[in-house]
Amino acid sequence: MDDDRWAGWPERWAGTDCDVRTAMGAIPREVKDGFRYDEVPWQQFRHFYGPGEEIPGLLATLASGDAEAADKALERLWGNLHHQGGTIAVGALAVPFLLRIATTGHPGLRARTLRLVAEIGRCQHMGDGSREGLLQVSEEPLMIEGSTGCPVDWTIQAARQAVTDDLPLLLPLLSGPDPEVRSVTAYVLAAATGELSGVFSALRFRLAKEDDAVVRVSLILAIAQLAREHQDDHAPRWARDLWSDPGRPPEVRIGAGLAWLCLVTDPAPDELRTLLTDPGIRQYDDLLQPVPWLTWVDPTGVGLRNCIDEMLAANIPATVLDDPWGEGPSS
């Protein structure tokens, strides 16, 4: 990196062909709607295992009528665009097409396709169930993707803009018949950067009607993520009202408790600490594991437990830390 090509990097790349945000912004809607892959500059970027020009073929197969081939194509897209929790620039260019395929393609692949969209537009966060990290989306400005030399946050910004541009495709999925799709749609919508009043309204409207536990928690965390990033001063009170209301379903109180802890820096009140460390909460480990935020904290099935432990660790007495779930002496 000692030649002139790297002078002024990365600022000098901003707005050039090397900036995926610029490339994304230049794609006309008719190109997206028409799946005109040949008008997208895939060649400017690599995926984790090869040239970006390979991505359109996989997208076309995913959109095809061959369910088995589509499933294999989606698996390869996951490997190429989301390696070890990281995102890569060419993935952002795929987002508009993935969104359209999700709405028109094989229903059985819809949730996985939408989830790939969400992960392309989010920082590497596996294992981070902290109050600061659980709802974190952006990446450190100087974090670089090794295959392309592009700042990771440029990819995240481009993907999030693509999601925002296509909100009309996403919002109807919140009321679809598949609870997994509703849950993952909330995860995607939490990345929106514009039209926020409409997104908030849609998420809250759905929460008022939702009866699935996983979807309820996903909706709550999506609202909290948007509120935290966009500094909605009303959100902490909203979350507290939910977790402090014994008449609410347990999963709503749990999700709202996590949301409140992420929205404020105050120590956890005794009432919340009692709620989240009650031994009865253990039954929700498996039930709420599919919540997208919790899955990445720990994919083995204890994402909720790890979040609670990490979020409360600084606020609970040492004796409780030894046995937060009432299971007897620690080994």
Side-chain angles (χ1 to χ4, degrees):
M1 295 180 60
D2 57 355
D3 56 50
D4 292 342
R5 183 165 59 98
W6 298 99
W9 180 94
E11 292 80 7
R12 197 180 72 172
W13 287 13
T16 71
D17 291 344
C18 297
D19 186 342
V20 70
R21 300 169 300 181
T22 301
M24 172 64 68
I27 303 175
R29 177 164 295 278
E30 57 267 24
V31 169
K32 304 173 189 177
D33 292 343
F35 295 93
R36 286 153 46 180
Y37 300 121
D38 58 339
E39 297 182 39
V40 177
W42 309 98
Q43 71 283 355
Q44 294 289 342
F45 307 95
R46 291 180 54 81
H47 61 73
F48 282 109
Y49 296 103
E53 293 95 323
E54 295 178 350
I55 300 302
L58 294 173
L59 291 170
T61 303
L62 177 60
S64 72
D66 186 332
E68 183 177 355
D71 182 76
K72 291 179 179 178
L74 181 55
E75 184 177 352
R76 286 187 60 192
L77 283 164
W78 265 95
N80 291 344
L81 303 180
H82 189 253
H83 176 63
Q84 296 183 347
T87 187
I88 195 165
V90 73
L93 298 183
V95 165
F97 303 104
L98 288 168
L99 287 172
R100 284 158 176 77
I101 294 168
T103 59
T104 61
H106 300 282
L109 300 179
R110 184 163 295 153
R112 283 170 55 205
T113 303
L114 288 169
R115 185 152 186 164
L116 178 55
V117 168
E119 300 304 341
I120 290 170
R122 186 173 167 86
C123 63
Q124 204 275 17
H125 57 287
M126 290 187 295
D128 191 347
S130 66
R131 297 174 70 169
E132 177 61 30
L134 183 65
L135 304 183
Q136 181 69 31
V137 184
S138 60
E139 188 56 87
E140 293 292 330
L142 295 181
M143 179 66 70
I144 303 306
E145 196 291 301
S147 299
T148 64
C150 293
V152 174
D153 207 46
W154 289 8
T155 297
I156 294 171
Q157 291 172 31
R160 296 181 68 187
Q161 185 58 54
V163 167
T164 304
D165 290 343
D166 282 324
L167 287 175
L169 296 177
L170 282 164
L171 292 172
L173 298 178
L174 280 178
S175 57
D178 185 344
E180 184 181 9
V181 172
R182 298 198 301 273
S183 172
V184 179
T185 297
Y187 192 43
V188 178
L189 288 171
T193 58
E195 305 294 333
L196 295 177
S197 62
V199 176
F200 273 121
S201 295
L203 291 169
R204 287 176 172 159
F205 178 80
R206 185 64 226 174
L207 179 60
K209 301 169 70 68
E210 186 57 57
D211 59 4
D212 182 273
V214 170
V215 184
R216 281 172 167 166
V217 175
S218 296
L219 291 164
I220 290 168
L221 294 180
I223 292 167
Q225 181 172 305
L226 287 166
R228 191 180 81 157
E229 184 174 20
H230 299 284
Q231 301 179 341
D232 185 334
D233 294 336
H234 301 289
R237 169 56 63 184
W238 164 81
R240 185 166 189 140
D241 287 346
L242 288 179
W243 68 250
S244 63
D245 182 355
R248 298 281 183 174
E251 68 274 6
V252 170
R253 299 187 70 197
I254 292 168
L258 297 180
W260 185 87
L261 288 166
C262 292
L263 287 167
V264 303
T265 58
D266 309 39
D270 289 344
E271 181 186 359
L272 178 58
R273 195 157 59 234
T274 299
L275 168 69
L276 295 180
T277 58
D278 187 297
I281 295 298
R282 281 300 306 274
Q283 66 183 296
Y284 291 91
D285 276 0
D286 291 337
L287 177 64
L288 299 182
Q289 181 64 20
V291 173
W293 288 264
L294 302 182
T295 302
W296 286 117
V297 170
D298 190 311
T300 66
V302 290
L304 173 61
R305 181 176 182 179
N306 286 356
C307 276
I308 292 173
D309 286 351
E310 189 165 0
M311 289 187 185
L312 296 183
N315 301 312
I316 59 181
T319 53
V320 180
L321 274 173
D322 287 340
D323 187 20
W325 297 92
E327 296 178 316
S330 55
S331 57

